Amino acid sequence: MPKIILRSPDGNTHTVDARVGASVMETAVKHGVPGIVAECGGALSCATCHVYVSDSCLERAGAAEDFEDEMLDDATSERRPNSRLSCQIRMSDELDGLEVEIAPEQ
Amino acid sequence: MDTVTTETETGTLIVGAGEAGLGIAVALRNAGYTAPVTITGLEADPPYQRPPLSKEFLAGEMDEENLLLRADDFYQDKDLRLLTNAHIEDIVLDEDSAGGTATTSAGHAIHFDGLALATGASPRRLPVPGGDLDGVCYLRDIPDARRLRTLLPGATRVVVVGGGYIGLEAAAVARGRGLDVTVVETFDRLLQRVAAPPISEFFRTAHEKRGAKVLLGASVTALRGSAGSVSGVELSDGMVLPADLVIIGIGVEPRIELAQKLGLDCGRGIIVDDAARTSNPAIVAAGDCTMQPHPLYPTESICLESVQNAADQAKVAAASLMDGPRPERAVPWFWSNQADIRLQIAGLSMGFDDYVIRGEPGTEQFTVLYYRDGRLIAADAVNNPHDFMAVKRALAKGATIDPTDAHNTGLPLKTLIREI
């Protein structure tokens, strides 16, 4: 199982096992990782699962597609070049060890 | 047998294991509630997401495991006791406390100190002959969706009864598989109950453009069958639409039986105040089973059947159970995905007396803003997330957007937000 390392706004780091095919958001919520709200459950409708992908993983995680890109413009926390909505990052074996920081405000 | 076989004690009993039931449990724990919490659910599955059942799950793009809202160990870690396949048949309240005893149909007694109802809603049944033929499906829970997913590959002609969100989403999935799809709607436009005419017209055109047929003002009088399986849908004008799969999406009925047994005030749903308290202030209720004051027009009562409401009202209900301050209510919002169209809805458009169309519906990217007494109350944004987010923000701070400028797509909506 690929692992995800999430840094929560409270400063704690959580390492969780993800199923291949599950999104980063789903995995974090299922395990009760604090900081990801994910109001819409992954429907790309709320921008409350905003994360910053660590530089070393950026290329592997890929870039936001159009709709996600527009939603990110209106996210509550500052948008950065490494901003993604975590519901749109699907886990694969290639993404094992993915490191993300959860945006402070959702 | 009526014999009570087992007995357990709990702090709070939550009847219903959907989004609202789970939400109350999680909110109780987040607020520092330490007593035992028991969640009972009618279904075999632990709490899961319903919205994908008519979208990604039905389309085969998502599996069952991904539907689950929490991992198994979450319940253990948070010390939440989850009873699935559990039907609470009766509840007797203590005379001198907020507690009581619930009994399941299997004869299990649960003594509790506090009670929350999150009993959800059941799909409205189509009251016509032939409703029990094979190939007639509803779409509310995992078994329904699983069954439909199994039937779709063998189907050729699909009739969808009901032009609401569930029906249209299912129609889009079936059409996406290349099936012959007809949507039958009683009213003279789609989404009649929830959207303005331009949105209704847009979705009719969009589905027709993608190859589905849409019949408006058509009511179903019978489902015909041969050898036990559905073969056609008979309409009131005598026309028969051939069909080997019929999907019925004609709305839901809040489950209020238990609330009625408890003597709680009910309308269409269980009546609650803005703190999610029922007419017995010790008992709270949240989610699809409730009827609550309209956030902007509190003298009006509304049923809000949405994930957002379930999650939001659950937090309010948990705060009331703990006698804590009422959390701020979020702006109601909804979404629907149909083929490659993403509709996002902010606010509640019911009761609108004016609307503004922003953008050209023919481009499949536009927004309808709804007004009441000159004040912005809601928007439907089609493939237009910036507009959706701007309206959600405006409504959250009680602001409005001037209707005279709103149609101008050269001006970003967020620059038009102004205080009332």
Side-chain angles (χ1 to χ4, degrees):
Chain A
M1 275 185 154
K3 285 192 191 313
I4 313 172
I5 301 149
L6 300 114
R7 201 155 68 249
S8 276
D10 61 8
N12 289 322
T13 298
H14 306 262
T15 302
V16 291
D17 289 325
R19 293 175 68 241
V20 169
S23 72
V24 171
M25 177 282 285
E26 283 163 351
T27 311
V29 169
K30 273 188 184 176
H31 292 90
V33 175
I36 289 191
V37 179
E39 270 188 336
C40 77
L44 207 47
S45 277
C46 65
T48 62
C49 63
H50 183 188
V51 297
Y52 303 117
V53 177
S54 79
D55 290 342
S56 60
C57 308
L58 257 183
E59 204 166 307
R60 280 187 293 157
E65 289 186 8
D66 290 353
F67 204 93
E68 178 189 348
D69 190 59
E70 290 197 34
M71 293 295 292
L72 278 167
D73 284 342
D74 295 303
T76 308
S77 289
E78 167 205 18
R79 178 170 186 176
R80 299 181 198 157
N82 58 343
S83 283
R84 287 294 309 271
L85 294 180
S86 57
C87 65
Q88 300 303 306
I89 307 174
R90 296 251 157 232
M91 288 305 291
S92 59
D93 287 325
E94 292 71 50
L95 279 180
D96 183 30
L98 177 73
E99 285 178 51
V100 302
E101 178 189 341
I102 301 171
E105 302 284 334
Q106 297 287 353
Chain B
M1 292 221 306
D2 288 325
T3 327
V4 170
T5 51
T6 50
E7 290 192 35
T8 51
E9 307 265 341
T10 193
T12 298
L13 171 65
I14 302 168
V15 183
E19 192 86 44
L22 174 65
I24 294 170
V26 171
L28 284 173
R29 286 290 179 249
N30 287 347
Y33 183 81
T34 52
V37 172
T38 301
I39 312 170
T40 66
L42 281 176
E43 297 182 45
D45 298 287
Y48 62 88
Q49 311 175 51
R50 276 184 215 285
L53 296 181
S54 51
K55 307 180 184 78
E56 302 93 322
F57 180 78
L58 191 59
E61 293 158 7
M62 187 176 185
D63 63 22
E64 284 188 29
E65 181 79 29
N66 282 342
L67 288 174
L68 301 184
L69 284 163
R70 293 294 186 277
D72 284 348
D73 52 8
F74 178 87
Y75 298 96
Q76 274 166 10
D77 293 350
K78 298 282 180 186
D79 192 22
L80 302 173
R81 191 155 157 262
L82 179 64
L83 297 178
T84 52
N85 289 314
H87 174 219
I88 301 291
E89 218 167 43
D90 200 17
I91 297 180
V92 178
L93 298 175
D94 297 341
E95 273 176 25
D96 49 356
S97 76
T101 301
T103 317
T104 70
S105 52
H108 181 79
I110 305 165
H111 303 290
F112 59 84
D113 301 325
L115 178 64
L117 300 177
T119 44
S122 334
R124 185 176 293 148
R125 300 279 147 180
L126 184 67
V128 301
D132 53 357
L133 290 163
D134 283 347
V136 178
C137 299
Y138 290 81
L139 190 42
R140 177 71 186 173
D141 54 26
I142 286 184
D144 289 341
R146 210 184 271 148
R147 189 158 153 252
L148 250 182
R149 233 165 82 149
T150 317
L151 291 173
L152 273 172
T156 52
R157 282 176 296 208
V158 180
V159 171
V160 175
V161 180
Y165 290 123
I166 300 290
L168 293 178
E169 289 171 1
V173 171
R175 187 57 208 138
R177 301 185 63 108
L179 306 180
D180 181 279
V181 175
T182 305
V183 178
V184 177
E185 166 58 47
T186 314
F187 288 100
D188 59 1
R189 59 186 182 93
L190 298 173
L191 301 169
Q192 188 267 351
R193 207 166 54 90
V194 287
I199 291 287
S200 302
E201 182 56 21
F202 165 75
F203 276 104
R204 185 181 65 80
T205 310
H207 282 274
E208 287 177 348
K209 212 167 95 184
R210 287 164 177 77
K213 288 187 274 300
V214 178
L215 294 182
L216 300 173
S219 51
V220 175
T221 46
L223 300 176
R224 293 196 180 168
S226 71
S229 293
V230 73
S231 63
V233 175
E234 185 189 290
L235 304 179
S236 55
D237 64 1
M239 182 164 50
V240 178
L241 305 168
D244 45 25
L245 180 62
V246 174
I247 305 171
I248 300 171
I250 53 171
V252 295
E253 299 287 355
R255 289 201 187 98
I256 58 175
E257 301 84 359
L258 210 47
Q260 285 173 326
K261 276 191 189 172
L262 284 164
L264 304 179
D265 291 348
C266 292
R268 198 167 93 77
I270 305 168
I271 294 173
V272 294
D273 63 12
D274 64 356
R277 292 187 190 278
T278 66
S279 57
N280 176 341
I283 302 175
V284 297
D288 286 2
C289 64
T290 66
M291 194 169 187
Q292 61 183 310
H294 188 295
L296 292 179
Y297 306 98
T299 54
E300 297 169 25
S301 275
I302 52 171
C303 290
L304 284 181
E305 293 136 13
S306 73
V307 167
Q308 179 273 328
N309 176 63
D312 189 56
Q313 209 178 16
K315 289 180 197 150
V316 175
S320 289
L321 279 174
M322 293 185 72
D323 289 319
R326 185 169 64 83
E328 197 156 322
R329 295 303 298 267
V331 174
W333 66 272
F334 314 83
W335 78 93
S336 177
N337 300 344
Q338 298 168 36
D340 52 349
I341 302 164
R342 286 176 179 278
L343 170 67
Q344 294 169 296
I345 302 166
L348 301 171
S349 63
M350 60 191 77
F352 68 90
D353 53 24
D354 194 14
Y355 58 81
V356 173
I357 305 174
R358 176 179 162 85
E360 174 49 54
T363 63
E364 301 205 336
Q365 185 185 34
F366 72 107
T367 300
V368 176
L369 294 99
Y370 296 86
Y371 292 86
R372 178 163 162 177
D373 302 325
R375 177 186 183 176
L376 177 72
I377 53 170
D380 292 342
V382 174
N383 293 326
N384 228 354
H386 284 314
D387 283 3
F388 166 71
M389 292 298 270
V391 171
K392 201 169 148 198
R393 289 263 155 81
L395 295 172
K397 55 183 191 182
T400 189
I401 290 173
D402 197 327
T404 51
D405 288 329
H407 70 278
N408 185 347
T409 51
L411 301 170
L413 268 192
K414 64 180 167 192
T415 65
L416 301 177
I417 298 174
R418 60 172 179 78
E419 303 300 324
I420 293 173

